[in-house]
Amino acid sequence: MGSIPEASRSLNSTTTHPFRVLVAGGAYGGLSAALNLQDLCRGLPPRCGPSPDGAGQIERPQFAVDITIVDERDGYFHLIGSPLALASEAYTEKAWVKYNDIPALRSPNIRVLQGSVKAVDPRQMIATFAAHGSGETSDLPYDYFVAATGLRRVWPVVPQSLRRKQYLFEAGEHVRAATAAKHGVVIVGGGAVGIEMAAELKLLHPHLSVTLVHSRDKLLSSEPLPDEVKDRALQLVREADVAVLMSHRLDRTEQTQDEHGNKCLRLHFTNGHAMLADQVSMAVSRPVPSTAYLPSSVLDEEGYVKIQANLTFPPNTPNAAAHFAIGDLVRWSGIKRCGAAMHMGYHAANNMHQQMQMQLHLAAGRNAAAAPPNPKFLELAEIPPMIGLAVGRKAVSYWPEAGVDSGEEVMRVFFGEDLGFGICWNHLRLGIDGGKE
Ligand SMILES: Cc1cc2nc3c(=O)[nH]c(=O)nc-3n(C[C@H](O)[C@H](O)[C@H](O)COP(=O)(O)OP(=O)(O)OC[C@H]3O[C@@H](n4cnc5c(N)ncnc54)[C@H](O)[C@@H]3O)c2cc1C
């Protein structure tokens, strides 16, 4: 447990009520922050972690919050499932659920706006919002702000469509083109994303020739993981029947024809090797934080938010204690993972809720020193490198206490039957009607 004493003192004691909470980004982190906060304000145990009071049934005042979630997409996209969504049309349908169709968000105090957060002014506590499809901007004033907009990733790592209908078309085209590839598909980049893309494609379409190309002599070469994990990943990729070219750096790709006159691509590698393929998917580019809307003073040189352990903005930010950042866009230890994003959402919800209680107490005119009884703020611990990586029918897992494990059972435990869709959906309790709790 930590504390936000300095920051809390700077909070406005004559706050608006219900509290207006603005969450930028409606995926793992953002939905976790919004829904855990909703639980706490209703006097319920938070859905993604232990009750801060340590008790199952909570005795604390219930109060109202108005939660606005802003996302560029019109629905929740299960990003982990992207490699499968781009390999199987049946799964494509499943991986994107429109916000209107998510039962947990059906609550009069939660609204979801489709559009972008363009700017945030922490001093005035106003965000600038641009609605999807219109150039018009409007102001969204808030009492608490949560940045959960993740990282920007390129196609075909992630579908770029912002509406489900368009996404189905985009992904469907890709799946059909890949599966018709007579000369095979090449995935360039042996990081976690490239490995999953190659293995899912081969699993779903065993007749396809799928080749994974990596420029280094180990897969996952940029991850701070033991060599044993990297070697096990390579073993599983080979067991999945994916051809692997290690230490091959792609130089260029040219349009050509095969011996029958069919159009295809010729790939040239810097070591002189060349091969034909019909489709080349690049899984090499570094994703960048989607934080351009935040003041540069809260960002590091790469654009990650310099959070404090309690997940608030850096201490020199105006109203720092009312501004949280969670998920992939924060500068923190550990490999970027959806579990960490949901965990941070729970932390942020708890810390917001503790502050709201203090503000209500202060607003009621009581002595600040005595109130509220024993606030408990959560702090993020250092996160060691850990990973769960799906490789076709099997998965490899690693975290320091457990070491390396792999196989079909690891796949079942970490990803279930649907590449983690059900695990995340159930953890966030997205299927439970928000009006009924
Ligand atoms: C292919 C792939 C496979 C992966 N596999 C795994 C895995 O097996 N296990 C694992 O733990 N992790 C995995 N990850 C990582 C995991 O997906 C991320 O850690 C997780 O998505 C982070 O969640 P987030 O909520 O922080 O951000 P995101 O999930 O990136 O969500 C950010 C949201 O913000 C929205 N947004 C962005 N900018 C704006 C803006 N300006 N205004 C409004 N909305 C905005 C986006 O539309 C998006 O909905 C994988 C990632 C990829 C790409």
Side-chain angles (χ1 to χ4, degrees), residues 288-307:
V288 288
S290 177
T291 51
Y293 58 88
L294 291 173
S296 58
S297 57
V298 310
L299 306 176
D300 72 5
E301 54 294 340
E302 291 180 87
Y304 290 91
V305 184
K306 298 180 285 185
I307 52 162

Side-chain angles (χ1 to χ4, degrees), residues 56-195:
Q57 194 51 45
I58 304 170
E59 284 183 23
R60 68 163 78 92
Q62 297 179 22
F63 53 86
V65 277
D66 273 339
I67 301 172
T68 301
I69 299 167
V70 173
D71 201 290
E72 293 176 344
R73 299 185 178 125
D74 70 0
Y76 160 76
F77 178 56
H78 178 56
L79 187 55
I80 292 176
S82 187
L84 186 49
L86 295 175
S88 146
E89 288 195 68
Y91 191 84
T92 309
E93 290 266 350
K94 177 173 183 161
W96 184 306
V97 186
K98 288 180 81 167
Y99 290 118
N100 283 344
D101 296 329
I102 296 181
L105 298 177
R106 284 184 207 133
S107 180
N109 65 324
I110 297 182
R111 65 174 173 157
V112 184
L113 304 178
Q114 191 188 359
S116 297
V117 174
K118 291 292 184 195
V120 167
D121 180 344
R123 190 178 301 281
Q124 302 294 328
M125 300 180 69
I126 293 176
T128 309
F129 167 74
H132 174 74
S134 88
E136 289 190 14
T137 58
S138 55
D139 285 347
L140 293 176
Y142 59 83
D143 299 306
Y144 286 89
F145 178 79
V146 182
T149 44
L151 305 179
R152 290 223 181 269
R153 296 177 160 103
V154 297
W155 172 259
V157 171
V158 173
Q160 303 293 303
S161 307
L162 300 177
R163 290 169 53 238
R164 186 172 187 274
K165 210 169 161 184
Q166 190 190 346
Y167 147 80
L168 292 177
F169 184 74
E170 180 187 24
E173 285 270 279
H174 183 77
V175 176
R176 286 189 291 279
T179 50
K182 292 193 190 65
H183 302 90
V185 174
V186 173
I187 312 285
V188 181
V193 171
I195 292 172

Side-chain angles (χ1 to χ4, degrees), residues 132-407:
H132 174 74
S134 88
E136 289 190 14
T137 58
S138 55
D139 285 347
L140 293 176
Y142 59 83
D143 299 306
Y144 286 89
F145 178 79
V146 182
T149 44
L151 305 179
R152 290 223 181 269
R153 296 177 160 103
V154 297
W155 172 259
V157 171
V158 173
Q160 303 293 303
S161 307
L162 300 177
R163 290 169 53 238
R164 186 172 187 274
K165 210 169 161 184
Q166 190 190 346
Y167 147 80
L168 292 177
F169 184 74
E170 180 187 24
E173 285 270 279
H174 183 77
V175 176
R176 286 189 291 279
T179 50
K182 292 193 190 65
H183 302 90
V185 174
V186 173
I187 312 285
V188 181
V193 171
I195 292 172
E196 291 194 353
M197 286 168 77
E200 291 304 329
L201 201 54
K202 186 68 190 175
L203 178 67
L204 271 287
H205 309 285
H207 67 281
L208 262 188
S209 154
V210 179
T211 306
L212 178 67
V213 175
H214 193 53
S215 59
R216 306 295 178 90
D217 61 355
K218 296 260 181 228
L219 295 179
L220 301 167
S221 47
S222 54
E223 302 294 358
L225 293 164
D227 279 355
E228 195 187 347
V229 183
K230 301 176 181 183
D231 294 341
R232 193 74 65 91
L234 177 59
Q235 182 191 328
L236 293 195
V237 173
R238 289 195 163 129
E239 283 173 19
D241 250 351
V242 171
V244 186
L245 294 178
M246 299 299 294
S247 305
H248 276 60
R249 185 177 292 277
L250 184 64
D251 184 24
R252 66 198 160 87
T253 303
E254 62 177 351
Q255 300 273 359
T256 186
Q257 290 184 347
D258 65 12
E259 70 272 23
H260 306 294
N262 299 315
K263 282 186 180 167
C264 61
L265 302 168
R266 186 185 303 277
L267 281 68
H268 296 270
F269 297 91
T270 52
N271 60 6
H273 180 67
M275 67 183 287
L276 298 183
D278 285 317
Q279 196 183 64
V280 179
S281 291
M282 302 299 287
V284 281
S285 67
R286 261 172 92 89
V288 288
S290 177
T291 51
Y293 58 88
L294 291 173
S296 58
S297 57
V298 310
L299 306 176
D300 72 5
E301 54 294 340
E302 291 180 87
Y304 290 91
V305 184
K306 298 180 285 185
I307 52 162
Q308 307 182 60
N310 57 42
L311 291 153
T312 57
F313 280 16
N316 56 348
T317 314
N319 301 307
H323 292 81
F324 291 80
I326 57 175
D328 277 6
L329 55 64
V330 303
R331 186 176 73 181
W332 200 259
S333 53
I335 295 172
K336 304 292 181 198
R337 291 178 312 112
C338 82
M342 292 188 283
H343 185 63
M344 289 184 210
Y346 152 72
H347 271 45
N350 175 77
N351 292 351
M352 263 187 285
H353 182 255
Q354 294 291 320
Q355 292 189 69
M356 287 171 180
Q357 288 187 98
M358 284 169 72
Q359 283 178 281
L360 285 177
H361 199 86
L362 291 170
R366 296 183 197 126
N367 178 346
N374 200 16
K376 291 183 176 130
F377 296 107
L378 296 174
E379 289 197 346
L380 209 55
E382 287 296 300
I383 304 175
M386 54 175 98
I387 195 166
L389 179 70
V391 190
R393 280 187 211 292
K394 297 180 182 172
V396 54
S397 67
Y398 168 79
W399 70 99
E401 295 83 32
V404 187
D405 198 2
S406 63

